[in-house]
Amino acid sequence: MRLLLVEDDSMIGAAAQQGLRQEGHTVDWVRDGKEAEVAVTDKVHDVVLLDLGLPRRDGLSLLREWRAKGIGIPVVIITARDAVTDRIAGLDAGADDYLVKPFDLDELSARVRAVTRRRAGRSASVMKIGALEIDAATKRVKWKGEEVALSAREYALLEALADRPGAYLTRTQLEERLYGWNEEIASNAVEVHIHGLRRKLASELIKNVRGLGYTLDPLPGPLPREREK
Amino acid sequence: MRRRLLVWLLSSVLLGGFAAAAIVFYQARMQSTEFFDYQLRQLALTLRDRDYSVRELAQALRGQQDLDFVIQVWGPDGRLLYGSHPEIEVPAPEGTGFSDAVTASGNWRVFAIWHRGLTIQVAQHKLAREALALGAALRTLLPFVLVLPLLGFLIWRLVGREVRFLETTARAVAKRSPESLEPISDEAVPDEIRPLVASLNDLLARLGAALSQQRQFIADAAHELRTPLTALRLQLQLAQRARDDDERQKALATLGEGITRATHVVEQLLAMARQDPAAQSAEHKPVDLSGVVAEVVEAERPVAQQKGLNLALDSRPMADITGDRVALRAMVENLIDNAIRYTPSGSVSVRTYVEGTQAVLEVEDTGPGIPAAERERVFDRFYRGADAAAGGSGLGLSIVRRIAERHGGQVELAEGAGGQGLLARVRIPLSPS
């Protein structure tokens, strides 16, 4: 997933970014409210991790503005303000979750997963699409009941496609999902990872329709070759 | 209080009664002395005028033993010719007129008169007179003693009524928890007590202000500690997750930085707490401010060099200021430390000089400076500028101002030379020479 981390403290920011990257996320980090305001307009992020006490623009007012403008991006507040009234204010402003500092990296990523799951209308952390099983918590993928080892990029790509089965994602959208702002992207990066996925899983699983983009075919299901027979 | 008032008031009344009785007693005794002396003299003169012989006298007075006068007739040779009460001995008179005699039977008042060679002596026991005076005195005292219980009852009730509001006030104070510091109502409180209630309320108000300030500080401090703690926790987890030695080394290095930062915040909090007006205990002694500045500059020089900053000192000799050397050093450290911390490149210039009766310390840097609108706010505890670099505790300038003010000085912030960077200027009065 591509996350937007809004945190003014450089140590927390650096550590959280690194930790979330290790989990396979793409993390863009901004240090103040104004930058966050600009970053969200790109609409490339899946979740915003929002600190409240921010320089130049308070996190809470930022969140309220997003919600007022109809920007529905999932937001997890991460803050040192732990009073019940603060939590209520944060959730009422439109936050999807509220995490009080000091927090655990594992808890942070679990909440990120939970928020995206809820947004996608799922309640379990394991997605099943035909013969494909994706466990977002452990980042393990099974194909026809057997575990398949994927690279972090391949997993992120698969997860992006699996988030909305049947929907088409363009190469640019996938690139944005996979790479942060300052990462160099090889021109054929997406194709390379798609190729890897097709090789490890099944070539019919990911379809490419010219002009529309890539999609996960939810029903390559009960072994296509057997169907042919 | 009620009981004490009662005891004191009743004692006073009783004392008054006794005083009155004593006065009455003395007055009565004086009057009765005059009266009885007159009586004594009249009796003696009567006896003389009757011109009784001794025998006739004895006859005339026979059966009159209960008379409270002793009548005696003495011969010219000093022999007792007649005594109305033979059992009572009154010594022979030494002359005529009034005299006092002390005998085995008590004190006597005596009047003697000459008559044809005989001495007629009339004596009266003094007790008789004093009994009269005493009687008068007791009669005076009696009403006091009789009204005493009534008076006591009245005093008890009246004092009780007047003291009741004191009790309600006391109860109001007693019921107060340390958290509720609202003022005590001074309605229905007599004028004499109002100053007490007013000063109590004043104390409560100051206590409340100090308490909420402390609470705010603790809340802020706890909040402020969360940030470095969060960083530490994340850094620790990264170190734990490290997949190889290289990653682990890097993670541990950032963890070390995190610990340094957390330590700095804690130290600043302690420095702040020490500068609280309530915690001032250090003795004020003559301090050479320029000497302290030179020390701090030397101590900070390695830090500046590491960042590639030029740290310059221009110090003029100056008279001592009076103060707490440790606190002043903390103040100078904070100023220079801040300048180095927030200046990415260029120089930090430190100057000390005397202006009028004040020692002046200037620390100027070539950093980003602080916008004029924010210059007052940065003195607030835990306030960090919008573009503040990481690692600051948000307490440095607050500590600086506190220490300067404790030494009768001020701190001001201005732009550095050429409108760039920040110039912090501290003025502290020199010791009067």
Side-chain angles (χ1 to χ4, degrees):
Chain A
M1 264 179 280
R2 185 157 172 182
L3 311 175
L4 178 65
L5 172 65
V6 191
E7 168 62 63
D8 63 323
D9 187 83
S10 62
M11 282 188 178
I12 296 176
Q17 187 178 36
Q18 199 189 336
L20 289 166
R21 274 183 180 160
Q22 285 177 359
E23 303 250 331
H25 299 295
T26 304
V27 185
D28 295 317
W29 172 25
V30 295
R31 292 156 192 259
D32 69 52
K34 291 275 182 207
E35 282 180 47
E37 204 177 344
V38 174
V40 160
T41 55
D42 292 350
K43 293 181 183 168
V44 295
H45 299 100
D46 299 297
V47 177
V48 179
L49 304 172
L50 184 66
D51 187 13
L52 293 185
L54 291 170
R56 294 173 71 193
R57 181 85 203 259
D58 180 66
L60 212 54
S61 79
L62 201 57
L63 177 56
R64 285 201 187 99
E65 191 189 294
W66 288 338
R67 295 313 190 220
K69 279 183 180 170
I71 300 174
I73 185 164
V75 171
V76 177
I77 289 176
I78 45 169
T79 180
R81 299 179 197 168
D82 66 338
V84 174
T85 50
D86 292 327
R87 292 164 191 251
I88 292 172
L91 293 172
D92 281 350
D96 294 79
D97 207 344
Y98 196 100
L99 192 56
V100 174
K101 293 177 184 173
F103 53 83
D104 224 68
L105 267 179
D106 294 331
E107 187 181 358
L108 179 63
S109 42
R111 284 182 190 252
V112 166
R113 285 196 301 272
V115 162
T116 45
R117 212 163 58 223
R118 278 204 297 275
R119 280 306 175 100
R122 296 189 307 269
S123 55
S125 74
V126 179
M127 288 184 269
K128 282 190 182 169
I129 302 158
L132 183 68
E133 271 180 46
I134 303 175
D135 188 339
T138 58
K139 312 230 174 301
R140 285 183 178 171
V141 174
K142 284 184 182 172
W143 176 246
K144 291 191 214 162
E146 276 180 46
E147 195 163 324
V148 184
L150 297 181
S151 75
R153 296 283 196 217
E154 284 166 352
Y155 175 82
L157 196 61
L158 184 63
E159 195 187 48
L161 290 167
D163 243 359
R164 279 178 294 158
Y168 287 91
L169 293 173
T170 65
R171 200 182 74 159
T172 318
Q173 281 172 321
L174 288 173
E175 276 174 354
E176 279 172 346
R177 178 92 182 229
L178 252 59
Y179 295 91
W181 290 328
N182 299 319
E183 290 176 272
E184 289 215 7
I185 311 167
S187 58
N188 61 344
V190 169
E191 280 86 349
V192 170
H193 295 310
I194 293 282
H195 177 75
L197 280 174
R198 280 178 171 158
R199 188 170 48 81
K200 288 174 180 175
L201 303 167
S203 54
E204 305 88 345
L205 186 65
I206 298 164
K207 284 184 178 161
N208 183 8
V209 178
R210 191 172 295 274
L212 286 174
Y214 296 93
T215 187
L216 201 63
D217 185 352
L219 298 167
L223 303 177
R225 270 179 220 121
E226 282 175 3
R227 216 169 17 183
E228 281 166 19
K229 280 181 186 174
Chain B
M1 174 166 162
R2 201 181 190 186
R3 189 164 302 128
R4 256 198 353 226
L5 265 176
L6 181 75
V7 168
W8 279 111
L9 284 172
L10 287 187
S11 313
S12 310
V13 169
L14 212 56
L15 195 71
F18 276 118
I23 291 166
V24 167
F25 175 74
Y26 280 106
Q27 278 181 341
R29 204 169 63 170
M30 227 149 71
Q31 275 181 351
S32 68
T33 302
E34 279 171 26
F35 172 71
F36 282 116
D37 278 1
Y38 175 76
Q39 238 189 352
L40 214 58
R41 190 184 141 101
Q42 285 303 312
L43 182 63
L45 289 175
T46 311
L47 287 174
R48 186 190 68 182
D49 292 347
R50 289 279 173 84
D51 203 12
Y52 285 129
S53 71
V54 173
R55 204 175 310 121
E56 281 167 345
L57 182 65
Q59 253 166 357
L61 291 174
R62 180 161 303 142
Q64 305 274 326
Q65 298 294 324
D66 56 339
L67 227 111
D68 57 354
F69 295 103
V70 173
I71 301 162
Q72 290 170 318
V73 181
W74 299 78
D77 51 355
R79 217 158 35 91
L80 181 64
L81 301 177
Y82 169 75
S84 62
H85 300 69
E87 74 282 4
I88 299 172
E89 268 182 55
V90 179
E94 280 159 16
T96 53
F98 287 105
S99 66
D100 293 307
V102 181
T103 72
S105 55
N107 294 347
W108 294 83
R109 185 70 173 164
V110 181
F111 185 77
I113 194 167
W114 284 90
H115 180 60
R116 290 193 293 172
L118 299 174
T119 308
I120 301 170
Q121 179 175 263
V122 184
Q124 188 185 27
H125 203 279
K126 278 201 175 164
L127 212 59
R129 310 172 161 212
E130 276 168 12
L132 191 81
L134 211 59
L138 283 178
R139 276 192 299 279
T140 313
L141 193 58
L142 192 65
F144 284 97
V145 175
L146 285 180
V147 299
L148 214 57
L150 179 68
L151 216 55
F153 175 73
L154 282 176
I155 290 168
W156 185 255
R157 292 300 301 269
L158 281 172
V159 171
R161 214 183 64 179
E162 291 301 304
V163 156
R164 192 171 310 139
F165 65 83
L166 263 188
E167 283 172 359
T168 38
T169 307
R171 264 202 299 275
V173 176
K175 266 197 301 192
R176 225 148 273 259
S177 65
E179 283 77 35
S180 72
L181 293 169
E182 312 88 56
I184 297 161
S185 156
D186 64 349
E187 283 168 38
V189 165
D191 292 346
E192 289 83 354
I193 308 296
R194 194 150 297 164
L196 179 70
V197 173
S199 51
L200 212 58
N201 281 340
D202 189 42
L203 178 69
L204 282 175
R206 273 179 294 150
L207 217 58
L211 213 62
S212 67
Q213 212 183 344
Q214 288 293 327
R215 275 199 201 118
Q216 188 56 47
F217 179 68
I218 291 170
D220 288 349
H223 182 93
E224 216 48 40
L225 281 172
R226 278 224 168 95
T227 303
L229 283 178
T230 306
L232 285 182
R233 190 149 164 186
L234 295 179
Q235 287 161 345
L236 175 69
Q237 282 175 340
L238 289 182
Q240 285 168 337
R241 288 175 175 194
R243 281 162 298 197
D244 54 52
D245 269 355
D246 189 38
E247 245 183 66
R248 193 169 302 115
Q249 285 309 317
K250 271 186 201 159
L252 287 177
T254 42
L255 180 60
E257 284 167 29
I259 291 172
T260 307
R261 197 243 309 237
T263 312
H264 175 69
V265 172
V266 170
E267 276 167 0
Q268 291 286 69
L269 281 171
L270 284 175
M272 190 80 205
R274 272 200 289 271
Q275 294 317 312
D276 257 1
Q280 279 176 39
S281 58
E283 223 182 307
H284 277 212
K285 286 179 182 159
V287 178
D288 171 21
L289 184 64
S290 58
V292 171
V293 171
E295 262 175 45
V296 176
V297 166
E298 282 325 301
E300 296 274 353
R301 201 173 288 288
V303 188
Q305 271 167 359
Q306 204 180 13
K307 276 191 84 172
L309 297 175
N310 177 29
L311 179 58
L313 172 65
D314 175 11
S315 178
R316 308 278 162 81
M318 55 169 66
D320 286 347
I321 60 173
T322 308
D324 173 355
R325 191 187 166 91
V326 175
L328 286 167
R329 196 189 153 108
M331 177 186 84
V332 177
E333 268 171 0
N334 265 296
L335 281 173
I336 297 178
D337 189 61
N338 259 356
I340 294 173
R341 188 186 296 270
Y342 292 115
T343 306
S345 66
S347 62
V348 173
S349 319
V350 182
R351 290 180 289 273
T352 56
Y353 57 92
V354 173
E355 197 177 84
T357 59
Q358 288 181 315
V360 184
L361 162 65
E362 284 182 354
V363 178
E364 186 179 351
D365 63 46
T366 56
I370 296 175
E374 265 187 68
R375 281 185 201 145
E376 194 49 38
R377 285 199 63 195
V378 292
F379 287 110
D380 292 349
R381 279 171 174 179
F382 302 116
Y383 180 82
R384 256 194 232 99
D387 303 312
S393 66
L395 281 171
L397 281 171
S398 184
I399 293 172
V400 167
R401 170 173 273 188
R402 231 160 229 255
I403 296 174
E405 282 175 355
R406 247 182 75 196
H407 290 84
Q410 314 108 39
V411 188
E412 59 192 21
L413 297 178
E415 278 164 12
Q420 198 216 340
L422 184 72
L423 170 63
R425 189 183 290 120
V426 181
R427 296 167 188 278
I428 292 177
L430 293 166
S431 310
S433 50

mmCIF file of all heavy atoms in Angstrom, chain A residues 68-88:
data_model
loop_
_atom_site.group_PDB
_atom_site.id
_atom_site.type_symbol
_atom_site.label_atom_id
_atom_site.label_comp_id
_atom_site.label_asym_id
_atom_site.label_seq_id
_atom_site.Cartn_x
_atom_site.Cartn_y
_atom_site.Cartn_z
ATOM 1 N N ALA A 68 -14.908 17.726 4.654
ATOM 2 C CA ALA A 68 -15.886 18.698 4.155
ATOM 3 C C ALA A 68 -15.842 18.761 2.632
ATOM 4 O O ALA A 68 -16.862 18.957 1.967
ATOM 5 C CB ALA A 68 -15.607 20.076 4.755
ATOM 6 N N LYS A 69 -14.638 18.562 2.066
ATOM 7 C CA LYS A 69 -14.493 18.619 0.616
ATOM 8 C C LYS A 69 -14.847 17.287 -0.036
ATOM 9 O O LYS A 69 -14.748 17.152 -1.255
ATOM 10 C CB LYS A 69 -13.035 18.929 0.255
ATOM 11 C CG LYS A 69 -12.661 20.390 0.347
ATOM 12 C CD LYS A 69 -11.224 20.534 -0.099
ATOM 13 C CE LYS A 69 -10.761 21.970 -0.053
ATOM 14 N NZ LYS A 69 -9.296 22.031 -0.264
ATOM 15 N N GLY A 70 -15.164 16.295 0.785
ATOM 16 C CA GLY A 70 -15.514 14.999 0.233
ATOM 17 C C GLY A 70 -14.324 14.111 -0.077
ATOM 18 O O GLY A 70 -14.454 13.124 -0.783
ATOM 19 N N ILE A 71 -13.166 14.469 0.453
ATOM 20 C CA ILE A 71 -11.997 13.598 0.271
ATOM 21 C C ILE A 71 -12.099 12.497 1.317
ATOM 22 O O ILE A 71 -11.948 12.737 2.513
ATOM 23 C CB ILE A 71 -10.685 14.399 0.448
ATOM 24 C CG1 ILE A 71 -10.624 15.519 -0.594
ATOM 25 C CG2 ILE A 71 -9.476 13.466 0.337
ATOM 26 C CD1 ILE A 71 -9.461 16.460 -0.446
ATOM 27 N N GLY A 72 -12.368 11.288 0.856
ATOM 28 C CA GLY A 72 -12.687 10.218 1.802
ATOM 29 C C GLY A 72 -11.540 9.305 2.143
ATOM 30 O O GLY A 72 -11.735 8.224 2.702
ATOM 31 N N ILE A 73 -10.336 9.699 1.841
ATOM 32 C CA ILE A 73 -9.175 8.843 2.069
ATOM 33 C C ILE A 73 -9.113 8.377 3.526
ATOM 34 O O ILE A 73 -9.354 9.172 4.441
ATOM 35 C CB ILE A 73 -7.883 9.586 1.663
ATOM 36 C CG1 ILE A 73 -6.676 8.658 1.774
ATOM 37 C CG2 ILE A 73 -7.660 10.834 2.493
ATOM 38 C CD1 ILE A 73 -5.463 9.195 1.036
ATOM 39 N N PRO A 74 -8.848 7.084 3.754
ATOM 40 C CA PRO A 74 -8.774 6.604 5.145
ATOM 41 C C PRO A 74 -7.666 7.332 5.917
ATOM 42 O O PRO A 74 -6.569 7.509 5.385
ATOM 43 C CB PRO A 74 -8.434 5.123 4.997
ATOM 44 C CG PRO A 74 -8.834 4.759 3.624
ATOM 45 C CD PRO A 74 -8.675 5.991 2.791
ATOM 46 N N VAL A 75 -7.997 7.744 7.146
ATOM 47 C CA VAL A 75 -7.026 8.494 7.950
ATOM 48 C C VAL A 75 -6.870 7.823 9.312
ATOM 49 O O VAL A 75 -7.856 7.546 9.990
ATOM 50 C CB VAL A 75 -7.479 9.956 8.147
ATOM 51 C CG1 VAL A 75 -6.583 10.668 9.152
ATOM 52 C CG2 VAL A 75 -7.474 10.711 6.819
ATOM 53 N N VAL A 76 -5.643 7.536 9.673
ATOM 54 C CA VAL A 76 -5.349 7.061 11.030
ATOM 55 C C VAL A 76 -4.603 8.186 11.735
ATOM 56 O O VAL A 76 -3.545 8.614 11.284
ATOM 57 C CB VAL A 76 -4.472 5.792 11.014
ATOM 58 C CG1 VAL A 76 -4.125 5.372 12.440
ATOM 59 C CG2 VAL A 76 -5.178 4.665 10.285
ATOM 60 N N ILE A 77 -5.180 8.667 12.821
ATOM 61 C CA ILE A 77 -4.513 9.731 13.567
ATOM 62 C C ILE A 77 -3.450 9.095 14.462
ATOM 63 O O ILE A 77 -3.718 8.107 15.161
ATOM 64 C CB ILE A 77 -5.537 10.533 14.396
ATOM 65 C CG1 ILE A 77 -6.399 11.383 13.468
ATOM 66 C CG2 ILE A 77 -4.833 11.397 15.430
ATOM 67 C CD1 ILE A 77 -7.497 12.143 14.167
ATOM 68 N N ILE A 78 -2.245 9.646 14.423
ATOM 69 C CA ILE A 78 -1.214 9.209 15.379
ATOM 70 C C ILE A 78 -0.784 10.443 16.163
ATOM 71 O O ILE A 78 -0.284 11.408 15.599
ATOM 72 C CB ILE A 78 0.006 8.558 14.682
ATOM 73 C CG1 ILE A 78 0.459 9.373 13.473
ATOM 74 C CG2 ILE A 78 -0.301 7.138 14.276
ATOM 75 C CD1 ILE A 78 1.785 8.929 12.912
ATOM 76 N N THR A 79 -1.041 10.417 17.459
ATOM 77 C CA THR A 79 -0.817 11.639 18.227
ATOM 78 C C THR A 79 -0.465 11.332 19.672
ATOM 79 O O THR A 79 -0.717 10.238 20.170
ATOM 80 C CB THR A 79 -2.082 12.516 18.191
ATOM 81 O OG1 THR A 79 -1.834 13.700 18.951
ATOM 82 C CG2 THR A 79 -3.263 11.790 18.808
ATOM 83 N N ALA A 80 0.086 12.321 20.341
ATOM 84 C CA ALA A 80 0.372 12.188 21.770
ATOM 85 C C ALA A 80 -0.812 12.644 22.607
ATOM 86 O O ALA A 80 -0.806 12.498 23.816
ATOM 87 C CB ALA A 80 1.607 13.002 22.128
ATOM 88 N N ARG A 81 -1.835 13.196 21.941
ATOM 89 C CA ARG A 81 -3.004 13.663 22.709
ATOM 90 C C ARG A 81 -3.867 12.458 23.053
ATOM 91 O O ARG A 81 -4.510 11.878 22.169
ATOM 92 C CB ARG A 81 -3.817 14.654 21.886
ATOM 93 C CG ARG A 81 -3.031 15.898 21.509
ATOM 94 C CD ARG A 81 -3.904 16.809 20.669
ATOM 95 N NE ARG A 81 -3.089 17.789 19.962
ATOM 96 C CZ ARG A 81 -3.553 18.548 18.984
ATOM 97 N NH1 ARG A 81 -4.804 18.449 18.611
ATOM 98 N NH2 ARG A 81 -2.754 19.420 18.392
ATOM 99 N N ASP A 82 -3.896 12.091 24.330
ATOM 100 C CA ASP A 82 -4.557 10.836 24.678
ATOM 101 C C ASP A 82 -5.848 11.020 25.449
ATOM 102 O O ASP A 82 -6.466 10.044 25.837
ATOM 103 C CB ASP A 82 -3.599 9.958 25.476
ATOM 104 C CG ASP A 82 -3.275 10.581 26.817
ATOM 105 O OD1 ASP A 82 -3.426 11.815 26.938
ATOM 106 O OD2 ASP A 82 -2.882 9.859 27.740
ATOM 107 N N ALA A 83 -6.268 12.268 25.685
ATOM 108 C CA ALA A 83 -7.502 12.455 26.447
ATOM 109 C C ALA A 83 -8.680 11.925 25.643
ATOM 110 O O ALA A 83 -8.654 11.938 24.410
ATOM 111 C CB ALA A 83 -7.702 13.928 26.755
ATOM 112 N N VAL A 84 -9.699 11.429 26.390
ATOM 113 C CA VAL A 84 -10.863 10.867 25.712
ATOM 114 C C VAL A 84 -11.496 11.909 24.793
ATOM 115 O O VAL A 84 -11.906 11.605 23.669
ATOM 116 C CB VAL A 84 -11.881 10.368 26.761
ATOM 117 C CG1 VAL A 84 -13.151 9.918 26.079
ATOM 118 C CG2 VAL A 84 -11.276 9.220 27.550
ATOM 119 N N THR A 85 -11.524 13.170 25.268
ATOM 120 C CA THR A 85 -12.140 14.224 24.450
ATOM 121 C C THR A 85 -11.373 14.408 23.145
ATOM 122 O O THR A 85 -11.967 14.671 22.104
ATOM 123 C CB THR A 85 -12.168 15.550 25.223
ATOM 124 O OG1 THR A 85 -10.864 15.788 25.747
ATOM 125 C CG2 THR A 85 -13.163 15.524 26.349
ATOM 126 N N ASP A 86 -10.043 14.236 23.218
ATOM 127 C CA ASP A 86 -9.236 14.369 21.998
ATOM 128 C C ASP A 86 -9.562 13.246 21.015
ATOM 129 O O ASP A 86 -9.685 13.473 19.811
ATOM 130 C CB ASP A 86 -7.742 14.324 22.334
ATOM 131 C CG ASP A 86 -7.301 15.545 23.120
ATOM 132 O OD1 ASP A 86 -7.875 16.624 22.887
ATOM 133 O OD2 ASP A 86 -6.389 15.413 23.959
ATOM 134 N N ARG A 87 -9.687 12.033 21.575
ATOM 135 C CA ARG A 87 -10.006 10.899 20.710
ATOM 136 C C ARG A 87 -11.345 11.110 20.033
ATOM 137 O O ARG A 87 -11.508 10.862 18.833
ATOM 138 C CB ARG A 87 -10.084 9.602 21.526
ATOM 139 C CG ARG A 87 -8.754 9.162 22.074
ATOM 140 C CD ARG A 87 -9.001 8.126 23.168
ATOM 141 N NE ARG A 87 -7.775 7.850 23.899
ATOM 142 C CZ ARG A 87 -7.109 6.698 23.802
ATOM 143 N NH1 ARG A 87 -7.546 5.748 23.034
ATOM 144 N NH2 ARG A 87 -6.008 6.526 24.500
ATOM 145 N N ILE A 88 -12.316 11.568 20.863
ATOM 146 C CA ILE A 88 -13.652 11.788 20.305
ATOM 147 C C ILE A 88 -13.588 12.846 19.210
ATOM 148 O O ILE A 88 -14.139 12.668 18.119
ATOM 149 C CB ILE A 88 -14.632 12.206 21.430
ATOM 150 C CG1 ILE A 88 -14.838 11.017 22.376
ATOM 151 C CG2 ILE A 88 -15.949 12.672 20.849
ATOM 152 C CD1 ILE A 88 -15.615 11.354 23.620
#
